[in-house]
Amino acid sequence: MIMTTPSPLQGGRLGILVGGGPAPGINGVIASVTIDAITKHGMEVIGFQNGFRHLVQGSKTHNRKLTVDDVVPYYMRGGSILGTARTNPAKNEEDMQRVLKVFSEMGLTALVTIGGDDTAYSSSQVAKRMGPGALRGPGNNTFLRVCHVPKTIDNDLPLPEGTPTFGFETARHLGVMTTRALHADAKTTGRWYVIISMGRAAGHLALGIGKASASTITIIPEEFRGAPITLEGVCDLIMSAILKRKSQGKEYGVAVLAEGLLESIGEKGLISALGGEENLKLFGNLERDAFGHQRLGEIEFGRMVKETLKKRLKEIGLKMDFIDKDLGYELRSADPIPFDLEYTRDLGFGALKFLSSNLATQFGAIISFVDGRLVPLSFESMIVPETQRMKPRKVNVDSEAFQCARCYMIRLEPDDFADAEKVKKLAALTTLTVEQFRARFEKLANQ
């Protein structure tokens, strides 16, 4: 007779919740976790609605039991059947204790959180208090196995090299489709599009969209290599592409910008560039969420760049038509493409494999796959205590992949300034003298 070892999760209760912004594939993780937990481990699965929002209030009513039949129809759908929220339970200890009390009173034995670095930190704090190594005592004798499935369309979480965050590939795919259509419109109508792509801490999504759609120019924070970023400097880079295109007889183009440029420029830089705080308010208000992030979506960065571009072009005798377009919200809850459908099934399977292993009695973990194999990453190794977040994964601007992207962009290059006739031709497109043109744009070519 073949004997099988019973799962340590057998007969237990597993909770699932989603935090942060949406990303394609959330329902895939929920479905995979639920199906595996029920069919292989005999667990009851509880889905908590809207992340930690109701849990910090001590609510035990904003949740529901999930069955296989509940989740199967949504496996390939975008959005989140459990909703999501940016509530931070670690903001104060009273909120956290209410969360722990709900988990304990509901008899949870395992928890899977789905989200970005903020939700990962919240999950790590639950693990710290109820997981391996937590101090036990009256009212705190429940042991909880905890893991976190990382998601963000920004692809900026420090997973092992070459491992994307789920949702990124779908967002990039749809972003490319939209940008290609806008490129066709730009060519047809003879205008420029300024596209702002989501990507707070890194330029992966903007670069991925710009490179794959053959956009005229893509600008990300990393290319400045730590040097100060200004609104004027960003606009002059776009102007350099406009001028080079005009010298080639083309009056149209597409510029893709990472929204993180806005945060890199900063409030003081924006106020300086726009001539005062009141002028900044014309484009929105800088607000912060529960985790301290600037709400970049509250600022019309594309319109700001468009208006600044028109002003700076007018100063050198040029007039262009621009359309600004934000890419982000329409990408976040889209139906996932096959890559993310497969990937999220792996991640959900991996979450249960980790939770049912001896490792889950040693540490809480972030679930990752490398070359098709589960690689659980401990919270302690991933989260920086000082920032309470993971260290952002930036675009490697020294890589051949970035060099390739840069090679196919249209920008003024050192070669353009090495040829006196080229410089003269470019300057003639403006009201600047050759000397003035060099002083204004040659430094950009060497950036």
Side-chain angles (χ1 to χ4, degrees), residues 231-260:
L231 180 60
E232 299 94 332
V234 170
C235 288
D236 281 357
L237 277 173
I238 300 172
M239 288 168 63
S240 76
I242 290 171
L243 289 167
K244 191 161 184 177
R245 291 278 284 179
K246 282 182 71 70
S247 72
Q248 298 168 345
K250 297 175 181 177
E251 300 286 336
Y252 65 92
V254 174
V256 179
L257 278 60
E259 69 172 355

